[in-house]
Amino acid sequence: GGMRRPAAALTLAALLVPAGCSAPLGLTSPDDGTNRNPDAAPDGDADRTIRVTASGTAEAEPDRAVVRVSVVARSDDVATVRDRLAANASQLREALTEAGIDAEQVVTSRYGIQQNYRHDPERRPEEPQYRGQHAFTVTLENTSRAGATVVTALENGATRVGGVEYTLTEETRRDLRNEALDEAVAADREQAETAANRTALSITGVASVETAETSVRPYRVEGPRAFTAAAGDGGGGTTSFEGGTVTVTSRALVTYNATSGN
């Protein structure tokens, strides 16, 4: 894996509520004084909670590439479409195996034969009536092989490249998620301390921690222009793509106990 660069977390919101009460983030419940216990301590002596939510991010060089390729066949006869798909798919799998890619790394993502939407007997008579597609995803742990894999596919039965996605293995994704959560919790603490200082409160501990969604933003190479060179490459798989970083973002909601200190 490449060097990781954790990014600064972005704090989002803070909320002060009485301890033991629940209130939506960013909202306070109105109090007209009618529900107060006359024997209760003044508000200044009551315990409070400070609830904050923040996001953190971490970045790393990708250590997994997913190549999407398809075999496409057209004909006025369904059986012919099916036979062409089968022949080209077999050729593609054999070529990828010879290139050192294990069979379990090549997975069918879609298979179907349907009416060719471009078929029009009057305006486009050259378009066959049926169109079939057998799409594959090829998962590579060596990201530098993505370009050569695209070339191998196009030279051995594949007729379309859906794109290349540079992403993370599960282990790296987990590590970056933890780094991003560390950033988020640190930002939560800073936000809570700021809120406490501005309201004459003191943080006494953590009441609860909740982790929100984690998102992964991979780096993608897609679009026909990106693969024009690969389609015409006769150099035996010398095509390569410029990579980028993968960003993992996590969010954390932390509730702190606080007291007025009186």
Side-chain angles (χ1 to χ4, degrees), residues 29-92:
S29 300
D31 185 357
D32 59 7
T34 58
N35 296 323
R36 291 185 179 179
N37 182 346
D39 298 326
D43 284 347
D45 295 330
D47 287 340
R48 295 288 186 267
T49 58
I50 301 175
R51 305 174 69 186
V52 290
T53 182
S55 64
T57 61
E59 295 181 343
E61 297 297 324
D63 58 0
R64 170 176 288 173
V66 179
V67 178
R68 301 189 305 274
V69 295
S70 299
V71 173
V72 178
R74 296 178 178 85
S75 176
D76 289 322
D77 178 64
V78 172
T80 300
V81 173
R82 184 173 57 246
D83 291 345
R84 290 176 180 173
L85 288 179
N88 284 8
S90 295
Q91 178 185 352
L92 173 61

Side-chain angles (χ1 to χ4, degrees), residues 98-246:
E98 291 178 1
I101 299 174
D102 294 337
E104 58 267 22
Q105 295 175 262
V106 184
V107 178
T108 294
S109 57
R110 182 183 179 188
Y111 180 91
I113 300 174
Q114 56 277 320
Q115 291 283 339
N116 181 8
Y117 72 93
R118 295 181 60 85
H119 174 69
D120 188 323
E122 295 182 359
R123 292 184 297 175
R124 289 190 297 267
E126 74 282 0
E127 284 288 343
Q129 186 175 356
Y130 298 101
R131 178 184 184 274
Q133 181 183 26
H134 192 164
F136 297 89
T137 58
V138 185
T139 302
L140 306 169
E141 304 303 330
N142 184 349
T143 59
S144 65
R145 298 186 61 187
T149 300
V150 168
V151 173
T152 298
L154 291 174
E155 291 178 346
N156 291 277
T159 51
R160 180 177 179 274
V161 181
V164 178
E165 179 179 279
Y166 291 93
T167 185
L168 305 171
T169 60
E170 296 305 320
E171 181 180 1
T172 304
R173 183 177 303 201
R174 183 173 58 250
D175 291 344
L176 260 67
R177 176 180 179 273
N178 291 338
E179 289 185 23
L181 281 175
D182 288 343
E183 292 285 333
V185 172
D188 277 327
R189 179 73 185 192
E190 180 179 358
Q191 184 78 352
E193 289 176 347
T194 300
N197 291 337
R198 291 180 178 177
T199 52
L201 294 175
S202 299
I203 294 176
T204 59
V206 176
S208 66
V209 179
E210 300 176 36
T211 58
E213 75 278 1
T214 297
S215 63
V216 179
R217 187 176 65 191
Y219 176 80
R220 292 185 173 91
V221 178
E222 50 193 1
R225 291 184 180 180
F227 306 109
T228 300
D233 190 343
T238 58
T239 296
S240 62
F241 306 114
E242 294 295 329
T245 58
V246 179

